[in-house]
Amino acid sequence: MDGAFRPATVVVRDGRITAVLPIDAVVETGTAETGTAAAGTAQAATEHVVPAGHVLLPGLVDTHVHVNEPGRTEWEGFASATRAAALGGVTTIIDMPLNSIPATTTVDALAVKRASAEGRVAVDVGFWGGAVPASLGSLDALHDAGVFGFKCFTAPSGVDEFPHLDPVQLRAAIEEVARIDALLIVHAEDPALLVPHEALGVHYDDFLGTRPPEAERSAIARVIDGARATGARVHVLHLSDASALPMIRAAKDDGVRITVETCPHYLAFEAGSIPDGATEFKCCPPIRDDANRDALWQGLLDGTIDLVVSDHSPSTADLKVDDWGLAWGGIAGLQVGFRAVWTEAHRRGLPLERILPFFTTGPADLVRTADRGRIAPGALAHLAVFDPSATAVIDVAGLAHRNPVSAFAGLEARGRVTETFLRGRRVASSAEGVTAVEGALVDRG
């Protein structure tokens, strides 16, 4: 409740936490023990005890997930993505406006997406809208329809139905979100500094050279300038270039309303260890070198980076050809990203409670959902039981992702989610899989 693990009794009624009490507290029907206690009324109470060596976590929140349905459901889909989330302890996801068809750039497209998800989600799902050239000037309607904010690209997105914004359009989007008090989340790379290419071959360094860190810094500087001038609330997506952290820190210190995320693959991997042809590691912006990874970790620890989210962007196996220039760019990690970061944190001597807020309160606060990502009175009883000492090699064929392709394949990962609860009800376990599909579609409050 206050950032430390300790024995406690968590009381749940009507899907919410009503109290966090000492371990020996008497709760109506008797003495409850560590875990989720007294769900329901006094006449129909149940008690759940978290096993020794395990900890009770707030349900994780992942605000960067590409579900891809409708239109590219063969890449993922609401059923498979939310099952993977539940098995990974993630109880809320916010779906990106691409790579679905139609992209979520209009109220009608949002309705199509919601209809695709209705009744099929194992965890709670919200939606981002898209800021593309054609939607500028009309973002307020989509905002009023309940999206949590607007995603834009400053460089080509990789799919034709979601074009990027040029510098003039980016400033117009920033001004518009400032006017309607919305949030703009930005894939920040400067196309003028990217290296055009087609086929590149099997060597990772050849791909890495096409997306230099200067491209991230240039685009982030433009976002900061716009936010500083307008007072807009902006967020930098999937930061891979740690050399951009000082300008982000300076902007924050100046009162610019900017937040930043990074992703498990940037914290767990480094360029020198990526094998030839292993295009399951391809993402944009790219995984950089070990010194850069160390600097990203420092940015977490000093508070410059606000959250860690998966950027789960899967595809079918046939799109991951062994040429770095031709392969689809995206990493699937929704179910295992938290474990991967905990593995690296443990290697660095960091305790679990040091990294947990980046997966819970950090993303929850980004989308202003104060009742998620917390174990506290009034919060939704979205919870996960976690064994921090368990170890296992990740077998992607055993994950709930639709396609068994992931950079995390073969990683000897630390930790295991053994149970996941949604509104106080167990919906998944490592022993039984997903046992209930009771997620809700959620709107911006």
Side-chain angles (χ1 to χ4, degrees):
M1 189 165 81
D2 57 3
F5 289 114
R6 60 171 55 91
T9 296
V10 179
V11 184
V12 176
R13 287 189 180 84
D14 299 324
R16 290 189 179 268
I17 296 168
T18 58
V20 181
L21 304 173
I23 188 63
D24 56 356
V26 176
V27 184
E28 293 186 348
T29 57
T31 301
E33 298 182 66
T34 307
T36 304
T41 66
Q43 290 73 37
T46 60
E47 179 180 286
H48 186 84
V49 179
V50 173
H54 295 53
V55 291
L56 187 67
L57 308 180
L60 310 183
V61 178
D62 193 333
T63 53
H64 196 148
V65 178
H66 294 267
V67 175
N68 305 326
E69 185 178 2
R72 292 188 174 95
T73 310
E74 69 276 13
W75 293 14
E76 192 59 275
F78 285 106
S80 56
T82 58
R83 282 170 167 80
L87 291 167
V90 178
T91 53
T92 303
I93 67 170
I94 311 296
D95 172 58
M96 283 292 167
L98 74 163
N99 302 302
S100 57
I101 303 173
T104 316
T105 57
T106 66
V107 173
D108 287 345
L110 176 63
V112 170
K113 181 163 281 195
R114 289 179 62 90
S116 298
E118 190 73 50
R120 302 176 57 235
V121 295
V123 300
D124 288 359
V125 177
F127 304 96
W128 294 110
V132 297
S135 66
L136 297 182
S138 58
L139 299 181
D140 53 347
L142 195 50
H143 196 236
D144 291 344
V147 298
F148 284 86
F150 299 93
K151 180 176 186 177
C152 71
F153 282 74
T154 61
S157 71
V159 292
D160 292 341
E161 64 274 5
F162 204 96
H164 70 287
L165 304 181
D166 65 26
V168 173
Q169 293 164 336
L170 175 67
R171 176 55 72 93
I174 292 172
E175 291 173 351
E176 188 169 359
V177 299
R179 178 177 58 79
I180 64 176
D181 192 27
L183 171 64
L184 188 69
I185 63 174
V186 186
H187 178 126
E189 291 182 286
D190 187 338
L193 297 175
L194 301 178
V195 179
H197 63 84
E198 292 183 357
L200 289 171
V202 300
H203 300 304
Y204 182 70
D205 282 350
D206 292 335
F207 166 65
L208 188 59
T210 69
R211 305 189 92 93
E214 294 81 8
E216 281 192 82
R217 292 200 298 273
S218 174
I220 291 169
R222 189 170 286 130
V223 172
I224 290 171
D225 288 346
R228 191 188 302 276
T230 63
R233 188 167 166 245
V234 296
H235 177 71
V236 176
L237 297 166
H238 45 48
L239 181 74
S240 83
D241 171 35
S243 65
L245 289 169
M247 79 167 79
I248 295 169
R249 180 74 267 164
K252 288 185 171 194
D253 291 345
D254 288 345
V256 176
R257 300 169 74 197
I258 185 169
T259 50
V260 60
E261 69 186 41
T262 194
C263 303
H265 38 277
Y266 301 129
L267 298 171
F269 304 128
E270 54 88 19
S273 300
I274 297 176
D276 286 351
T279 58
E280 61 269 25
F281 289 88
K282 181 179 179 180
C283 58
C284 300
I287 296 166
R288 305 193 188 277
D289 63 26
D290 194 39
N292 183 83
R293 178 174 63 166
D294 286 345
L296 287 175
W297 274 98
Q298 183 56 44
L300 276 182
L301 299 178
D302 70 20
T304 305
I305 296 174
D306 300 275
L307 53 141
V308 179
V309 286
S310 68
D311 189 10
H312 179 69
S313 186
S315 71
T316 51
D318 61 294
L319 296 179
K320 286 291 192 179
V321 297
D322 63 359
D323 184 293
W324 288 97
L326 302 178
W328 171 258
I331 289 178
L334 175 58
Q335 188 172 337
V336 296
F338 177 67
R339 292 168 61 200
V341 174
W342 166 228
T343 301
E344 181 64 18
H346 184 267
R347 186 180 76 84
R348 292 170 180 263
L350 300 171
L352 180 61
E353 54 266 39
R354 189 69 179 85
I355 66 163
L356 184 61
F358 298 110
F359 293 86
T360 54
T361 52
D365 289 349
L366 175 72
V367 291
R368 294 179 171 174
T369 53
D371 60 352
R372 297 173 191 266
R374 293 163 170 83
I375 299 178
L380 288 164
H382 288 7
L383 303 163
V385 179
F386 188 65
D387 179 356
S389 299
T391 58
V393 174
I394 293 175
D395 174 11
V396 292
L399 301 179
H401 303 161
R402 179 179 285 272
N403 291 284
V405 180
S406 176
F408 297 99
L411 177 70
E412 186 171 350
R414 190 173 186 86
R416 179 178 62 166
V417 175
T418 60
E419 297 174 287
T420 303
F421 295 81
L422 206 68
R423 295 177 181 83
R425 175 182 168 89
R426 187 169 68 179
V427 297
S429 73
S430 57
E432 301 177 71
V434 175
T435 54
V437 177
E438 298 179 352
L441 304 186
V442 296
D443 292 334
R444 175 182 57 82

